[in-house]
Amino acid sequence: MDLLKVNWGRRKHSLFYYLFLASKQLFPLDLYLFSPNPFRFDQPSSSSRLFDFGRMSQAGVDVPAKGGFSFDLCKRNDMLIQKGLKAPSFLKTGTTIVGLIFKDGVILGADTRATEGPIVADKNCEKIHYMAPNIYCCGAGTAADTEAVTDMVSSQLRLHRYQTGRDSRVITALTLLKKHLFSYQGHVSAALVLGGVDITGPHLHTIYPHGSTDTLPFATMGSGSLAAMSVFEAKYKEGLTRDEGIKLVAEAICSGIFNDLGSGSNVDICVITKGHKEYLRNYMEPNPRTYVSSKGYSFTKKTEVLRTKITPLMERVEITEVGEAMEE
Amino acid sequence: MTFTIPIDNGDALKNAETDSQRTLYPYVTGTSIVAIKYKDGVLMASDMGGSYGSTLRYKNIERVKAIGKHSLLGASGEISDFQEILRYLDELVLNDNMWDDGNSLGPKEVHNYLTRVMYNRRNKFNPLWNTLVLGGVKNGQSYLGMVSMIGVSFEDNHVATGFGNHLARPILRDEWHADLSFEDGVKLLEKCMRVLLYRDRSAINKLQIAKITEEGVTVSQPYSLKTFWEFQAFHNPTAGAQGSW
């Protein structure tokens, strides 16, 4: 998340990059020419007859004419796959995510393993995303999709709160997510468990990548959903207390962690009640590193030090303020 | 799941003939079997449904049968292949009895025989489309093993086939322990079968539990499980959101 902020902070660069990407989709590469100084508004480069960078930057964020997903390259991709090209695999969160409604609210749980095919890409990622002070959302599927979609709806909810002056409702988040996912016809591969407590009470929903939703007392999603669901089906009762609920959620996630290969590492839990929420990151760590060498590492042969020269890099950076101060 | 190998000699007519000699896909299938070892022997549970694709065509199929004096065989998958396997085993047991030497085939031997049969059929690209569970007791030793349609075989304290692998196995891994009593074993199996009933679309609420001990085989009468549907959230799911579902 921090990395994202750094990139977007340099807004001019990112706009240029966005236009570069957009152009690659719309125009064949051999006709695309780099204009030497794209930010010279007065003299548009004569060499790039197809692309007038000057005018583009001046117009502000000029989104390509057709909104939403551009299906232009689908035919070409199909042709390449038929010819034998293997499509790149995405970072998925082969996952166990669960939610349940207890006496006073909602408890959400998730494992913390992110996989890239057979490799564990992140041993301790966060799958419970913030939507609103009273609403959290667990995400399974392609990690980028779940992150982006929950961030987007979280921002929309905040703006909506400012406009209405009221706390967000869970069905608002549900409808926003549902609309977005349906309009992308399942290509945004995000399977979500959305839970929260609003003025109308506790709610728990599941949202599938194609945009369908369910309202349930207990729910599981992800590759470990069957293992977790078997625990819920066997042990769920109505009117659980907070401790019983947390214990059941932890049990269900552990069932996913130990019986599903796509899930693993630790258990994250989030308890939401009326007016109060508790995000228990790494509530349980059932997979600790058991064998750690107490000696530490030591190298056998001593490396001879010939010369030591330390150059402090900070002094070499010259900061010159050009133009206006950057707006955040 | 189709089991075709692309034979590209352009002779579609001849291939059709050879294809009809091999099992390509199952037609009438049984769903999962769940089995555990307990104090006195082995307990095996199965429901009595036979699905024809997405229709529940047959509701009175016994998928657990006694083999000889010491074993119990349960099968999921194609029912006709299961009946064929029973015929093979009939012949095997008959030949064993004809020796009349006081010895009889134990579960280990039957399991080994089935593994060889399944693996050889798979090598001929004409599999018996079943996952078999073999349980038994001989000379005080209880045995529980499984053979899949491609010949993968192993033995364990608790096994499950099909959907049972995903839904029942996690529960069994958590709650099975050695020396379960008969009542505890049945309760555990019923717990697993109830979850399967809720979450497997081809399961029906009519199950049999079979028990094998040193004394012999008992297959229970068919009975059904109690299910619970009275969650508040099910009564009015759209209470907070009129018009959604």
Side-chain angles (χ1 to χ4, degrees):
Chain A
M1 268 309 288
D2 284 329
L3 196 63
L4 226 86
K5 288 201 177 98
V6 169
N7 268 335
W8 283 105
R10 297 157 63 206
R11 204 179 62 183
K12 282 200 175 121
H13 166 80
S14 58
L15 170 64
F16 175 72
Y17 193 55
Y18 172 79
L19 293 173
F20 173 73
L21 286 179
S23 70
K24 269 174 62 164
Q25 294 279 55
L26 298 172
F27 297 96
L29 215 58
D30 50 358
L31 287 177
Y32 176 81
L33 295 165
F34 256 95
S35 138
N37 184 355
F39 298 113
R40 268 188 342 192
F41 299 147
D42 47 348
Q43 288 155 36
S45 163
S46 53
S47 51
S48 66
R49 50 194 173 81
L50 291 170
F51 231 178
D52 198 334
F53 264 115
R55 250 212 312 263
M56 269 293 205
S57 332
Q58 218 169 16
V61 185
D62 229 2
V63 177
K66 21 184 177 131
F69 192 77
S70 166
F71 287 87
D72 291 340
L73 287 176
C74 288
K75 240 189 183 166
R76 158 205 171 248
N77 291 341
D78 277 335
M79 183 267 291
L80 284 173
I81 288 175
Q82 265 171 22
K83 293 240 165 108
L85 173 78
K86 249 176 47 144
S89 72
F90 332 100
L91 175 61
K92 297 197 102 201
T93 58
T95 299
T96 310
I97 49 174
V98 307
L100 64 70
I101 296 194
F102 72 110
K103 202 163 51 144
D104 309 317
V106 173
I107 305 180
L108 299 173
D111 74 308
T112 60
R113 174 184 283 185
T115 52
E116 203 174 307
I119 306 168
V120 176
D122 189 346
K123 290 189 286 193
N124 207 0
C125 70
E126 285 186 16
K127 299 189 192 179
I128 306 187
H129 309 284
Y130 167 90
M131 297 285 261
N134 56 333
I135 307 174
Y136 273 76
C137 184
C138 308
T142 308
D145 287 338
T146 57
E147 274 284 338
V149 132
T150 47
D151 276 354
M152 182 192 81
V153 171
S154 171
S155 313
Q156 288 178 340
L157 283 177
R158 187 179 244 207
L159 291 170
H160 192 246
R161 276 203 295 284
Y162 291 151
Q163 189 169 41
T164 56
R166 294 181 170 87
D167 281 338
S168 303
R169 298 193 186 192
V170 181
I171 40 161
T172 318
L174 181 73
T175 312
L176 290 168
L177 286 164
K178 197 202 286 219
K179 268 180 58 157
H180 182 80
L181 291 175
F182 179 72
S183 67
Y184 281 82
Q185 288 293 297
H187 289 282
V188 175
S189 171
L192 310 166
V193 171
L194 175 72
V197 180
D198 57 30
I199 191 77
T200 54
H203 298 281
L204 179 67
H205 303 279
T206 54
I207 309 164
Y208 289 84
H210 285 265
S212 66
T213 59
D214 286 313
T215 312
L216 296 164
F218 55 91
T220 67
M221 296 283 262
S223 57
S225 63
L226 279 87
M229 184 52 87
S230 69
V231 172
F232 273 169
E233 284 286 10
K235 300 189 180 164
Y236 180 79
K237 308 191 303 280
E238 289 201 291
L240 291 165
T241 63
R242 180 179 177 279
D243 290 327
E244 286 172 349
I246 291 182
K247 187 160 160 291
L248 187 57
V249 166
E251 230 182 289
I253 299 289
C254 282
S255 174
I257 286 176
F258 292 120
N259 292 298
D260 174 45
L261 296 175
S263 317
S265 301
N266 315 122
V267 180
D268 282 351
I269 292 199
C270 184
V271 185
I272 310 173
T273 51
K274 191 169 153 74
H276 180 64
K277 62 139 193 286
E278 253 180 279
Y279 184 42
L280 304 164
R281 167 80 171 144
N282 285 359
Y283 171 77
M284 213 161 101
E285 294 182 348
N287 291 305
R289 227 179 121 195
T290 31
Y291 305 110
V292 185
S293 163
S294 52
K295 285 193 301 189
Y297 294 108
S298 62
F299 299 99
T300 44
K301 263 204 301 231
K302 274 195 152 40
T303 314
E304 204 187 324
V305 177
L306 295 174
R307 189 166 56 108
T308 311
K309 179 176 175 211
I310 302 172
T311 316
L313 290 174
M314 285 299 287
E315 287 175 14
R316 292 192 160 234
V317 173
E318 289 175 27
I319 304 167
T320 47
E321 289 282 330
V322 178
E324 300 169 338
M326 204 163 62
E327 292 170 343
E328 273 302 337
Chain B
M1 179 177 132
T2 51
F3 217 75
T4 47
I5 14 169
I7 313 169
D8 196 7
N9 52 15
D11 222 338
L13 279 172
K14 234 207 292 188
N15 288 342
E17 212 174 76
T18 47
D19 276 357
S20 69
Q21 309 281 7
R22 307 184 289 121
T23 309
L24 295 174
Y25 12 75
Y27 287 97
V28 181
T29 53
T31 179
S32 16
I33 304 242
V34 188
I36 55 173
K37 274 194 206 171
Y38 77 112
K39 194 170 51 144
D40 308 320
V42 172
L43 281 169
M44 201 180 292
S46 80
D47 69 7
M48 299 189 74
S51 317
Y52 184 61
S54 55
T55 327
L56 249 177
R57 176 78 179 79
Y58 303 102
K59 298 197 191 171
N60 206 14
I61 298 189
E62 281 195 27
R63 294 191 292 119
V64 181
K65 294 282 187 185
I67 311 290
K69 285 206 289 261
H70 302 284
S71 327
L72 203 56
L73 174 69
S76 72
E78 172 64 63
I79 300 294
S80 60
D81 284 343
F82 176 49
Q83 289 168 345
E84 184 75 5
I85 288 171
L86 289 175
R87 271 193 286 277
Y88 289 158
L89 287 172
D90 251 350
E91 210 182 303
L92 185 76
V93 171
L94 185 70
N95 284 328
D96 185 48
N97 286 340
M98 287 204 297
W99 283 105
D100 204 15
D101 56 2
N103 197 9
S104 49
L105 284 174
K108 273 204 196 50
E109 289 86 57
V110 180
H111 187 219
N112 188 44
Y113 174 77
L114 288 172
T115 312
R116 292 295 101 228
V117 167
M118 302 298 270
Y119 185 64
N120 273 293
R121 289 290 296 257
R122 164 250 182 185
N123 284 342
K124 295 188 216 156
F125 280 95
N126 185 13
L128 289 160
W129 210 284
N130 291 114
T131 310
L132 305 167
V133 175
L134 206 300
V137 189
K138 189 173 175 193
N139 295 337
Q141 290 264 28
S142 30
Y143 181 91
L144 181 59
M146 192 165 109
V147 194
S148 81
M149 77 185 212
I150 48 174
V152 175
S153 97
F154 58 91
E155 57 162 308
D156 204 347
N157 292 323
H158 45 77
V159 296
T161 67
F163 245 94
N165 263 315
H166 295 107
L167 289 171
R169 222 73 205 279
I171 300 179
L172 293 171
R173 280 186 180 154
D174 247 353
E175 303 193 7
W176 184 90
H177 57 86
D179 294 328
L180 279 165
S181 70
F182 175 68
E183 290 79 25
D184 284 340
V186 170
K187 263 221 298 273
L188 185 58
L189 279 182
E190 282 188 347
K191 199 180 207 177
C192 296
M193 294 305 283
R194 187 172 291 114
V195 177
L196 283 167
L197 176 62
Y198 284 135
R199 293 285 160 177
D200 179 4
R201 84 165 187 178
S202 40
I204 58 169
N205 198 1
K206 185 176 175 190
L207 65 141
Q208 281 185 311
I209 297 200
K211 157 177 92 141
I212 182 163
T213 59
E214 196 70 51
E215 283 90 50
V217 177
T218 337
V219 183
S220 75
Q221 285 300 311
Y223 68 102
S224 62
L225 294 168
K226 276 215 268 285
T227 55
F228 181 73
W229 297 93
E230 303 307 315
F231 289 124
Q232 268 305 309
F234 289 161
H235 277 284
N236 195 2
T238 58
Q242 292 297 323
S244 79
W245 70 93

